[in-house]
Amino acid sequence: MTQAEIKLCSLLLQEHFGEIVEKIGVHLIRTGSQPLRVIAHDTGTSLDQVKKALCVLIQHNLVSYQVHKRGVVEYEAQCSRVLRMLRYPRYIYTTKTLYSDTGELIVEELLLNGKLTMSAVVKKVADRLTETMEDGKTMDYAEVSNTFVRLADTHFVQRCPSVPTTENSDPGPPPPAPTLVINEKDMYLVPKLSLIGKGKRRRSSDEDAAGEPKAKRPKHTTDNKEPIPDDGIYWQANLDRFHQHFRDQAIVSAVANRMDQTSSEIVRTMLRMSEITTSSSAPFTQPLSSNEIFRSLPVGYNISKQVLDQYLTLLADDPLEFVGKSGDSGGGMYVINLHKALASLATATLESVVQERFGSRCARIFRLVLQKKHLEQKQVEDFAMIPAKEAKDMLYKMLSENFMSLQSIANLIERRQFETKENKRLLEKSQRVEAIIASMQATGAEEAQLQEIEEMITAPERQQLETLKRNVNKLDASEIQVDETIFLLESYIECTMKRQ
Amino acid sequence: MASRGGGRGRGRGQLTFNMEAVGIGKGDTLPPPTLQPSPLFPPLEFRPVPLPSGEEGEYVLALKQELRGAMRQLPYFIRPAVPKRDWRRLPRELKIRVRKLQKERITILLPKRPPKTTEEKEETIQKLETLEKKEEEVTSEEDEEKEEEEEKEEEEEEEYDEEEHEEETDYIMSYFDNGEDFGGDSDDNMDEAIY
């Protein structure tokens, strides 16, 4: 774990879960696997606090546990998973583009809560969607369920490992911690539920209360006394699947930029056909025949078989080698060279970093050096294999750029927090004024009175607030942008490491 | 120790590694010595690339800020406990009595425990106090109790002087807040951007 990664994890945990969870989480990231009491002792935290923190971390898939000999349970943090928290907005937005608002909220609830049962998700999302609808309209559970099923079918959400169902012949004491298991084939299996109902509006008056479930108590979602039909079956967002989608998007847009729309559509089709059959770290997709590709082109895409074949040949001949030909049967067998594509994308990222930071001349030199190495090695290069030396070189470059990106995100977050703290007084004042205005408006105050209250914030103060808002937005947007770079570099690094 | 003075005369200028291996040849002019720390913000030669704007960029940005605010409201966000106070030394009236409803909320994740000790009551109160500031929806019962409690809280605030002494700093404890607390103060409209 590099210092930059640990620092960033610390900031993310603190922003999302508070200082106590941050302390425990960072400690585990630094020290590796530890039992409960050692954590409490080493961090100087009370046992209760540690327990709470671990519950939260485990709930959010950031910490896992294992029973060791003599019944001692040890906890281990997943640093890379913590870093994924940066990407939550991107996961949610992607779902919105694919499955609209309903899908978006499903994934958002799963990310915010770590894991949930399907019935809980459906209920929450129906409630939230109902809030946004016109008066009198409600969202049906069935519609939300359908979207959920589609997300499961395309693997964007998956089942969490669950408590194994043991036959009750076991007389001994229960183990200190369960060993959760999941069957490959069950991972996307949606339980047969007949969820009937509609979303409820959250009424803001204080009179209505007793049975109304709050969105903030995920563990107590059953305020109605009926038994939960899918008790024990929890779901989580499948981050790898999203990463695969991002990767595919990047490849398609690279092809579109380099060639044309039609080529990119063909590549997109090929990637879509390989979605579920190719693992995320595979160097290339399963071979697809030109006939199959032709049949799978999107409806309404009117190109003839010959034109398709011409495009495929062009793609395969392109020096970037995103597409490769692996055989002649079926009209020609083609694959997407995922590893090559990732390498090109990562390299392009590096080149553009050099260009933006050091100018075009340096960028030219950088490109030449890369190219020259490539030419030297070309003779010994096999199809879709990168020689060890070049791979190591590239790897080193990516790792150090990745390291710097992580460091810069940590800097961005710290700067944002600093700016916010500096202006805390002003922000609080403005919030108070807003609250006063809101309540006065509700009780029907006059324009003159409202004006008076608004003037409590002076013009220079308003200016300061504007500047603050602009800066914070800029810092936030930069975080998002740098995370995209990190994604590309890490994808390449991961893919390369798995092959060594 | 004895060799320290002696080492100065002999073997001066010898390094523990081979200079050529690093890339500095013999007789090369080295760069001028650095006499001051490098500037905090070195001059930027090239302007940075503009950030993505447009619908997608705006939406993702707003989403990010919203998520940040939302996570602070969820029960997963654990707030630090109030420091322990020695109740033997303080007037009894300053101790705040526990109410049943608070227990429910706080013991979500923990197994059943024996009746709360005074420290935990405080912890509970502190949590309630901060929760109240976020204006969570409460049932009508709790509403009344909330008002009573708020008065008590204000009295309690005088007690915070103790914290200053405990920590031996020149700053009041709220100085060390990271400034995100007020983010949840936005009353009903969770759609507003959180700073």
Side-chain angles (χ1 to χ4, degrees):
Chain A
M1 280 322 78
T2 63
Q3 280 308 308
E5 283 177 303
I6 298 179
K7 180 77 195 164
L8 188 48
C9 286
S10 155
L11 287 166
L12 288 168
L13 286 174
Q14 182 215 333
E15 276 209 328
H16 290 116
F17 298 116
E19 282 169 10
I20 300 176
V21 175
E22 181 258 337
K23 186 150 59 144
I24 306 303
V26 168
H27 177 77
L28 279 176
I29 290 176
R30 281 211 169 96
T31 60
S33 185
Q34 277 195 341
L36 176 61
R37 293 196 181 272
V38 178
I39 300 174
H41 176 267
D42 285 357
T43 57
T45 325
S46 77
L47 216 50
D48 283 342
Q49 304 277 43
V50 179
K51 286 180 194 172
K52 279 189 215 170
L54 284 173
C55 283
V56 169
L57 289 165
I58 293 173
Q59 170 75 14
H60 281 82
N61 310 305
L62 303 171
V63 157
S64 60
Y65 54 80
Q66 245 192 345
V67 185
H68 284 249
K69 54 183 191 288
R70 283 194 258 120
V72 174
V73 181
E74 286 198 0
Y75 302 89
E76 192 174 346
Q78 322 289 336
C79 174
S80 55
R81 180 59 181 80
V82 177
L83 293 174
R84 295 298 151 258
M85 294 181 72
L86 270 177
R87 221 163 275 167
Y88 282 8
R90 201 170 164 196
Y91 300 137
I92 298 171
Y93 180 73
T94 300
T95 320
K96 188 189 177 75
T97 61
L98 296 172
Y99 296 101
S100 87
D101 290 353
T102 315
E104 178 192 6
L105 289 186
I106 291 176
V107 168
E108 186 176 320
E109 285 296 329
L110 284 175
L111 288 173
L112 283 179
N113 289 287
K115 354 172 149 42
L116 287 172
T117 59
M118 178 177 170
S119 39
V121 175
V122 168
K123 189 165 193 307
K124 274 184 203 287
V125 173
D127 286 346
R128 278 181 73 174
L129 286 169
T130 305
E131 286 288 316
T132 64
M133 292 166 97
E134 307 163 6
D135 270 328
K137 288 199 162 174
T138 53
M139 173 58 83
D140 212 56
Y141 281 10
E143 200 179 316
V144 182
S145 290
N146 285 341
T147 311
F148 191 95
V149 170
R150 287 168 68 199
L151 282 166
D153 284 343
T154 46
H155 295 196
F156 280 102
V157 303
Q158 66 184 165
R159 269 165 65 154
C160 305
S162 43
V163 181
T165 44
T166 51
E167 285 85 45
N168 285 326
S169 55
D170 193 348
T179 314
L180 303 178
V181 295
I182 179 94
N183 215 325
E184 273 289 331
K185 59 179 171 62
D186 289 340
M187 233 193 269
Y188 306 101
L189 200 58
V190 178
K192 295 245 185 319
L193 302 171
S194 54
L195 291 167
I196 302 176
K198 299 185 192 293
K200 290 197 186 62
R201 242 171 250 282
R202 195 172 41 165
R203 279 165 277 182
S204 50
S205 65
D206 283 329
E207 313 148 5
D208 168 20
E212 209 77 24
K214 306 285 186 292
K216 295 162 192 149
R217 291 207 216 144
K219 299 252 180 188
H220 288 325
T221 42
T222 46
D223 282 280
N224 39 338
K225 304 299 176 225
E226 298 142 28
I228 319 169
D230 58 346
D231 190 27
I233 305 181
Y234 290 91
W235 293 79
Q236 61 185 345
N238 181 4
L239 302 190
D240 278 340
R241 179 66 183 90
F242 281 98
H243 295 163
Q244 189 187 47
H245 180 85
F246 297 155
R247 184 201 64 198
D248 291 353
Q249 265 185 330
I251 294 177
V252 167
S253 91
V255 173
N257 283 340
R258 186 176 169 81
M259 303 179 79
D260 68 351
Q261 178 79 357
T262 312
S263 318
S264 73
E265 277 310 309
I266 295 172
V267 169
R268 193 203 298 274
T269 306
M270 291 172 74
L271 285 167
R272 202 172 9 97
M273 290 163 74
S274 316
E275 253 166 23
I276 308 201
T277 54
T278 310
S279 85
S280 53
S281 51
F284 33 80
T285 61
Q286 303 284 9
L288 302 164
S289 76
S290 153
N291 295 334
E292 284 177 292
I293 300 173
F294 184 65
R295 281 197 296 270
S296 311
L297 283 174
V299 175
Y301 222 79
N302 285 328
I303 56 171
S304 70
K305 180 77 168 44
Q306 287 124 316
V307 172
L308 172 67
D309 283 334
Q310 281 170 348
Y311 267 106
L312 284 170
T313 312
L314 268 170
L315 281 163
D317 284 343
D318 189 276
L320 269 188
E321 297 184 75
F322 277 22
V323 175
K325 187 163 185 185
S326 71
D328 288 307
S329 57
M333 302 293 281
Y334 296 89
V335 296
I336 308 261
N337 286 325
L338 296 168
H339 189 217
K340 275 261 169 59
L342 282 174
S344 301
L345 287 167
T347 311
T349 306
L350 279 189
E351 285 175 4
S352 94
V353 168
V354 171
Q355 170 139 343
E356 294 307 323
R357 235 192 266 166
F358 304 112
S360 348
R361 210 172 284 168
C362 288
R364 253 209 309 269
I365 296 174
F366 187 75
R367 264 194 291 269
L368 272 171
V369 169
L370 275 184
Q371 242 182 16
K372 193 159 187 296
K373 284 181 70 74
H374 197 251
L375 290 171
E376 276 172 5
Q377 305 287 5
K378 198 117 172 99
Q379 297 111 327
V380 298
E381 205 180 50
D382 278 337
F383 172 66
M385 283 197 19
I386 295 188
K389 179 157 182 269
E390 182 179 331
K392 279 205 190 83
D393 253 349
M394 282 274 279
L395 207 51
Y396 174 75
K397 288 198 185 82
M398 305 300 176
L399 282 167
S400 44
E401 179 58 34
N402 196 36
F403 170 84
M404 293 206 286
S405 301
L406 287 167
Q407 180 64 52
S408 62
I409 294 201
N411 290 345
L412 285 167
I413 297 182
E414 280 184 321
R415 180 61 190 263
R416 173 170 46 77
Q417 288 180 341
F418 172 77
E419 291 284 333
T420 309
K421 199 160 84 176
E422 283 286 290
N423 292 283
K424 184 174 173 178
R425 182 202 79 88
L426 190 53
L427 277 163
E428 273 177 348
K429 178 174 175 188
S430 110
Q431 298 249 325
R432 265 203 307 275
V433 167
E434 270 177 40
I436 295 174
I437 292 184
S439 66
M440 284 180 75
Q441 272 176 336
T443 56
E446 287 169 16
E447 193 56 44
Q449 287 175 301
L450 293 176
Q451 195 88 355
E452 222 180 278
I453 303 288
E454 273 188 23
E455 277 163 18
M456 277 170 63
I457 302 192
T458 66
E461 280 180 332
R462 252 179 235 286
Q463 187 65 27
Q464 203 180 333
L465 280 171
E466 269 305 307
T467 312
L468 173 66
K469 179 166 179 179
R470 215 182 27 244
N471 288 344
V472 168
N473 281 353
K474 228 190 269 191
L475 291 167
D476 267 331
S478 307
E479 272 181 57
I480 297 171
Q481 190 63 20
V482 178
D483 182 55
E484 287 192 20
T485 304
I486 289 179
F487 170 72
L488 279 176
L489 297 175
E490 274 184 353
S491 299
Y492 170 75
I493 291 170
E494 230 178 74
C495 197
T496 311
M497 304 267 258
K498 287 213 165 98
R499 308 179 64 211
Q500 308 227 326
Chain B
M1 290 275 246
S3 64
R4 239 209 259 165
R8 255 192 290 142
R10 285 182 298 138
R12 198 183 357 172
Q14 277 179 10
L15 299 166
T16 53
F17 59 92
N18 183 7
M19 267 215 325
E20 273 151 2
V22 179
I24 309 171
K26 257 190 171 170
D28 260 359
T29 41
L30 294 167
T34 336
L35 294 168
Q36 51 182 253
S38 45
L40 197 52
F41 291 115
L44 256 191
E45 277 176 33
F46 305 94
R47 300 220 71 204
V49 182
L51 289 165
S53 55
E55 222 181 284
E56 179 174 342
E58 304 273 332
Y59 189 86
V60 177
L61 178 61
L63 187 51
K64 179 185 212 293
Q65 293 175 337
E66 201 183 297
L67 282 177
R68 197 157 56 222
M71 292 213 79
R72 295 182 69 88
Q73 305 287 76
L74 290 173
Y76 307 115
F77 194 97
I78 302 181
R79 292 166 201 283
V82 175
K84 293 187 201 264
R85 300 216 175 84
D86 189 349
W87 287 110
R88 296 173 297 190
R89 302 166 53 92
L90 299 165
R92 220 173 319 168
E93 63 181 9
L94 297 178
K95 230 205 251 187
I96 300 184
R97 50 189 208 284
V98 178
R99 276 149 229 163
K100 268 191 288 178
L101 295 150
Q102 301 152 10
K103 268 194 197 159
E104 256 184 301
R105 248 193 246 180
I106 310 306
T107 53
I108 289 174
L109 299 171
L110 297 176
K112 290 276 186 288
R113 291 155 56 205
K116 289 176 166 249
T117 59
T118 46
E119 288 88 37
E120 280 143 12
K121 282 178 199 162
E122 291 177 80
E123 187 179 305
T124 313
I125 303 309
Q126 185 65 8
K127 285 204 170 111
L128 252 198
E129 191 188 328
T130 41
L131 286 171
E132 279 161 21
K133 284 196 193 136
K134 312 286 185 262
E135 296 196 33
E136 258 198 55
E137 289 173 22
V138 291
T139 62
S140 50
E141 289 175 55
E142 288 181 328
D143 254 350
E144 294 166 13
E145 293 170 333
K146 211 190 354 176
E147 279 165 336
E148 289 173 23
E149 222 182 329
E150 269 175 317
E151 292 170 334
K152 280 249 166 95
E153 298 302 332
E154 268 152 352
E155 287 175 29
E156 266 271 308
E157 241 144 274
E158 300 309 306
E159 276 308 311
Y160 282 179
D161 286 339
E162 204 172 289
E163 285 182 51
E164 293 173 43
H165 297 310
E166 284 177 7
E167 293 284 337
E168 288 178 36
T169 63
D170 290 336
Y171 305 100
I172 55 171
M173 288 312 286
S174 57
Y175 184 85
F176 294 113
D177 285 351
N178 70 352
E180 288 274 342
D181 278 341
F182 56 78
D185 274 357
S186 65
D187 305 321
D188 301 308
N189 200 356
M190 289 302 287
D191 290 332
E192 272 181 321
I194 308 289
Y195 300 130

